[in-house]
Amino acid sequence: MARIVMKFGGTSVADLDRIKNVARHVKREVDAGHEVAVVVSAMSGKTNELVGWVQNMPKVTGADHSIYDAREYDAVVASGEQVTSGLLAIALQAMGINARSWQGWQIPIRTDNAHGAARILDIDGEDMIRRMKEGQVAVVAGFQGLGPDNRVATLGRGGSDTSAVALAAAVKADRCDIYTDVDGVYTTDPRIEPKARRLKKIAFEEMLEMASLGAKVLQVRSVELAMVFKVRTFVRSSFEDPDAPGMGDLLNPPGTLICDEDEIVEQEVVTGIAYAKDEAQISLRRLADRPGVSAAIFGPLAENHINVDMIVQNISEDGSKTDMTFTVPSGDVDKALRVLGENKEKIGYDVVQSESGLVKVSVIGIGMRSHAGVAATAFRALAEKGINIKAITTSEIKISILIDGPYAELAVRTLHSCYGLDKS
Ligand code: ADP
Ligand code: ASP
Ligand code: MG
């Protein structure tokens, strides 16, 4: 007998029939004698709709551009998960399972005060464990918790993954299964590259890079929690027949295990390719080349919560003027340009240029630590396809390359194939 947390994403609970299908997955584990808690997302598309309503409200009221109260944003967007948790509890009850829905505030899942992007601080698992031992199946609304102001707080897009892993850690679950619309983690997004291969296992660190570099199959924070609390996390499909052979396998369920790198016997040099759309590049021309100039640029951007990613500074020819280029999410360009404009005197630059609609493609693999020439292979392959590189950053286990948006899919496929990742 094991204790399992099962999480179902938006497409898995997209309508009533799918919710019934999810209930069959849950029933399989309950019938096998396991203690089960479930975490659900909102129906797919629902959260986007709710976010859209909130964003459009200031246009209707005539309020100052897109300003709205983040606490009320959370009150609205958390509602999608409330609906699916209730519906799944009803479906489970109809199958004779003792199920009950739980909102974040009822457990409670305590978060910090960062409404819209809150972090889970604490979940008291004891009561939940007691109920599980009594055979109750808790159906927990993902994506939401209770802030220190006693208000609903949401965890950022994709946050139900984090709810599930945090709950699994709190109840000391043997396994956390993230059910989604793909049957595991692939070498790259299988929607872009049909030749992508499913990975049997992927190391925490690699999954962390994949997620933070754009593979939205897991929210970044969920991978961090799984790594810190050693939660045995599987990514698997809810679209397979719940009663197909092997689906209830306790140790080796179908899907991808996120685990310590020591558990991976055959480590490849490159494990996967990720991509992130909607990057923008900002260049400051003819900056004074003096100590403090970077602080003068990036300090005010950080204060305005603008996430700067790749940074490239040129060496100045005569030691007096230089250029600085960096990337921000496309949605933040206008804000960034405003902040830079306000600080023009202090920073001391000549002109600022910006370009949106860029894409960052990344090559990820722990094996890079001990192999030379991985970056050169990427550059050569992209050059052969005539893809121009705008910026590069590297770390021990990843290379990120900034390119023009229209080349995204070609670049992903080119890199996937040049490292031998295509399935044969
Ligand atoms: P859910 O609604 O279940 O949370 P998401 O849409 O958030 O599902 O995440 C699943 C999607 O992630 C898949 O449909 C797939 O297109 C995308 N994805 C991106 N990169 C990968 C990858 N490397 N492996 C698997 N899926 C990926
Ligand atoms: N429903 C939320 C979202 O769409 C949370 C999630 O699906 O994980 O972002
Ligand atoms: Mg998701």
Side-chain angles (χ1 to χ4, degrees):
M1 200 203 68
R3 186 173 292 158
I4 305 175
V5 171
M6 307 170 77
K7 178 257 170 177
F8 296 90
T11 40
S12 306
V13 293
D15 58 39
L16 299 189
D17 283 332
R18 293 213 185 141
I19 291 178
K20 183 178 156 204
N21 183 58
V22 161
R24 290 179 57 212
H25 280 283
V26 176
K27 184 170 173 5
R28 181 191 63 235
E29 305 296 352
V30 172
D31 286 351
H34 303 312
E35 291 173 7
V36 177
V38 185
V39 173
V40 285
S41 295
M43 291 179 176
S44 66
K46 192 68 201 170
T47 311
N48 285 347
E49 183 186 32
L50 297 168
V51 170
W53 285 344
V54 175
Q55 288 175 341
N56 283 334
M57 203 61 197
K59 291 180 200 154
V60 175
T61 58
D64 194 13
H65 30 270
S66 57
I67 293 176
Y68 48 79
D69 190 318
R71 289 159 295 194
E72 303 311 338
Y73 167 95
D74 278 349
V76 176
V77 303
S79 65
E81 275 72 10
Q82 172 154 353
V83 172
T84 45
S85 60
L87 288 172
L88 180 57
I90 293 171
L92 288 167
Q93 287 169 3
M95 292 178 179
I97 293 169
N98 179 9
R100 180 64 61 212
S101 69
W102 293 86
Q103 306 309 299
W105 61 268
Q106 288 172 308
I107 295 179
I109 295 173
R110 296 263 173 210
T111 72
D112 65 13
N113 208 18
H115 282 279
R119 284 165 78 95
I120 295 178
L121 299 178
D122 181 52
I123 303 176
D124 180 359
E126 289 312 311
D127 194 47
M128 187 67 74
I129 291 174
R130 184 182 59 73
R131 289 171 191 281
M132 288 170 100
K133 283 189 173 153
E134 287 172 2
Q136 243 194 61
V137 172
V139 185
V140 178
F143 184 50
Q144 49 165 273
L146 185 66
D149 52 1
N150 266 352
R151 296 204 147 268
V152 175
T154 63
L155 309 179
R157 298 307 305 269
S160 297
D161 299 329
T162 301
S163 308
V165 175
L167 188 66
V171 300
K172 304 181 185 67
D174 299 291
R175 225 171 66 198
C176 180
D177 288 359
I178 307 283
Y179 286 82
T180 181
D181 55 4
V182 278
D183 59 358
V185 178
Y186 279 69
T187 45
T188 194
D189 188 343
R191 285 182 208 286
I192 296 272
E193 175 50 281
K195 290 190 206 131
R197 272 190 290 121
R198 177 155 60 109
L199 298 160
K200 193 75 199 119
K201 295 177 177 177
I202 182 170
F204 285 122
E205 278 180 75
E206 290 171 326
M207 192 64 236
L208 205 52
E209 291 287 2
M210 290 278 276
S212 43
L213 294 167
K216 67 165 187 164
V217 61
L218 286 176
Q219 199 198 33
V220 179
R221 181 76 183 134
S222 71
V223 187
E224 281 172 6
L225 289 181
M227 186 155 96
V228 171
F229 293 101
K230 299 248 174 282
V231 178
R232 233 177 145 69
T233 304
F234 282 87
V235 174
R236 54 187 298 188
S237 168
S238 73
F239 286 79
E240 281 162 44
D241 177 358
D243 300 313
M247 288 298 280
D249 192 318
L250 190 57
L251 295 178
N252 278 310
T256 302
L257 172 66
I258 326 293
C259 60
D260 275 328
E261 61 180 282
D262 320 341
E263 269 197 64
I264 299 173
V265 186
E266 284 174 48
Q267 183 69 60
E268 308 281 341
V269 177
V270 170
T271 303
I273 313 292
Y275 67 97
K277 286 188 170 159
D278 296 324
E279 302 278 316
Q281 176 175 282
I282 296 181
S283 298
L284 295 171
R285 303 283 179 212
R286 289 180 292 283
L287 274 171
D289 194 7
R290 58 173 168 78
V293 73
S294 295
I297 298 167
F298 299 115
L301 291 175
E303 281 157 26
N304 283 276
H305 308 289
I306 296 166
N307 216 346
V308 173
D309 182 18
M310 306 169 115
I311 303 177
V312 183
Q313 183 180 351
N314 289 349
I315 296 172
S316 52
E317 256 174 49
D318 60 357
S320 71
K321 298 280 177 193
T322 183
D323 290 340
M324 180 89 79
T325 298
F326 54 90
T327 62
V328 298
S330 279
D332 281 346
V333 175
D334 291 345
K335 192 156 118 184
L337 292 177
R338 181 168 49 78
V339 171
L340 293 169
E342 285 164 7
N343 289 275
K344 186 164 195 256
E345 296 277 287
K346 236 192 289 166
I347 302 169
Y349 60 87
D350 198 355
V351 280
V352 54
Q353 294 162 334
S354 69
E355 189 182 358
S356 293
L358 306 180
V359 167
K360 183 174 65 175
V361 286
S362 303
V363 178
I364 296 136
I366 280 181
M368 274 185 217
R369 285 189 196 131
S370 48
H371 281 80
V374 181
T377 304
F379 304 152
R380 210 175 306 120
L382 294 175
E384 276 166 16
K385 299 282 182 200
I387 301 173
N388 189 35
I389 297 175
K390 292 177 158 295
I392 302 163
T393 52
T394 61
S395 81
E396 226 189 0
I397 65 163
K398 70 121 207 270
I399 305 153
S400 290
I401 299 166
L402 190 71
I403 58 168
D404 281 322
Y407 291 103
E409 298 191 3
L410 179 62
V412 168
R413 294 203 189 106
T414 302
L415 294 174
H416 195 265
S417 132
C418 84
Y419 292 108
L421 296 175
D422 289 359
K423 72 176 163 211
S424 42

